[in-house]
Amino acid sequence: MTFEELVKSRHSAVNFIESEKMTDDDFKKIFELTKLAPSAYNLQFADYLVITDVDKKERIKELAHNQYKIHTASAVVIVMGNKNSFEDFEAEKIYSPMKMLKMMDELEYEMTMNQIKGYREGLKANGSALDMELARNVGLHAMLFMLSAKHYGFDTCPMHVHNVDELRKEFSIPDHLVPILMITIGKSVDKMRPRGYRKPVGEFVNFNGYK
């Protein structure tokens, strides 16, 4: 499948083959591609909670206004932003091995750490900026997850996260992880319905300013 075919074949699935089970290896292959998504300073903000247990999926279904696709999906994937990704200890985990392998020298390492510190402090000074940065980076990651899933033959549907406080309690989600969206995944039970209307490119793309 070419990339063009992959993108055109990815639709949001509204129902799944309930008997379809996904293995750890299925998810590993998907996440091995997903981890290549870009992120600010390569800080890799996305964390995933994969729910395959039938009873736990049903609990998520209850929290998400009983949407049936959750019941039939092979799994529900909660995609979260990790607020700790901005902190020095996470940045050091990513950049220290690069310094050790001489992919960057000491000066470049220190400059990068200082840049990340400034970036972090600027975001913390504006709470909405922090939320937006998490959403932006997690959104990039989640889209690559859905394309990677389709590459391996699985269908997906991105969804809102509902009742976040109850979800946190149910799955012991720590405070530094912010649920941003969830994705149902499996194999669609039917042929995909025709894609909804898309605006012509000329309606949403402008070059060199607006008239």
Side-chain angles (χ1 to χ4, degrees):
M1 186 184 297
T2 67
F3 182 72
E4 181 179 358
E5 290 168 339
L6 176 67
V7 172
K8 287 182 175 179
S9 66
R10 199 221 68 79
H11 289 236
S12 292
V14 296
N15 196 8
F16 298 90
I17 299 172
E18 189 173 347
S19 60
E20 181 70 30
K21 304 299 181 186
M22 291 183 67
T23 66
D24 290 349
D25 188 57
D26 289 329
F27 281 107
K28 185 176 188 299
K29 289 190 295 186
I30 292 168
F31 283 118
E32 285 292 340
L33 292 182
T34 303
K35 72 180 186 182
L36 301 177
S39 59
Y41 289 100
N42 193 32
L43 293 177
Q44 303 168 50
F45 301 87
D47 270 47
Y48 291 78
L49 175 61
V50 179
I51 305 297
T52 57
D53 179 87
V54 172
D55 292 335
K56 291 180 178 180
K57 275 202 302 117
E58 288 303 305
R59 180 58 181 140
I60 292 178
K61 178 172 172 281
E62 291 172 10
L63 294 174
H65 307 301
N66 289 303
Q67 295 183 69
Y68 188 69
K69 70 186 79 170
I70 296 171
H71 171 74
T72 58
S74 301
V76 181
V77 180
I78 311 297
V79 193
M80 298 168 289
N82 187 341
K83 292 190 289 187
N84 282 351
S85 298
F86 299 98
E87 301 298 338
D88 287 342
F89 63 88
E90 287 288 349
E92 287 167 2
K93 237 177 9 180
I94 291 166
Y95 284 98
S96 290
M98 296 176 69
K99 182 177 68 169
M100 189 182 308
L101 295 170
K102 302 193 182 303
M103 296 170 64
M104 61 195 317
D105 59 29
E106 184 69 35
L107 178 60
E108 187 180 3
Y109 175 80
E110 291 300 329
M111 287 177 60
T112 301
M113 291 297 104
N114 287 332
Q115 287 171 346
I116 291 171
K117 182 178 179 180
Y119 163 68
R120 176 180 70 236
E121 296 308 316
L123 290 172
K124 284 186 174 180
N126 183 337
S128 62
L130 177 61
D131 293 340
M132 184 176 291
E133 191 71 347
L134 283 177
R136 179 166 33 239
N137 282 277
V138 168
L140 287 168
H141 222 273
M143 188 68 243
L144 189 54
F145 172 85
M146 289 188 287
L147 289 173
S148 299
K150 190 62 181 176
H151 172 71
Y152 287 113
F154 295 101
D155 300 300
T156 54
C157 184
M159 304 172 66
H160 286 89
V161 182
H162 299 276
N163 297 305
V164 172
D165 290 342
E166 292 180 62
L167 186 74
R168 282 189 180 283
K169 184 176 180 182
E170 188 76 26
F171 296 98
S172 303
I173 298 172
D175 289 341
H176 69 276
L177 297 180
V178 182
I180 291 177
L181 74 155
M182 64 184 188
I183 300 171
T184 45
I185 183 170
K187 292 191 176 179
S188 180
V189 74
D190 300 310
K191 287 184 178 180
M192 292 295 184
R193 60 186 177 184
R195 192 182 297 280
Y197 170 77
R198 293 296 192 270
K199 295 178 182 178
V201 171
E203 285 191 17
F204 67 91
V205 179
N206 290 274
F207 293 91
N208 303 314
Y210 287 82
K211 294 179 180 179

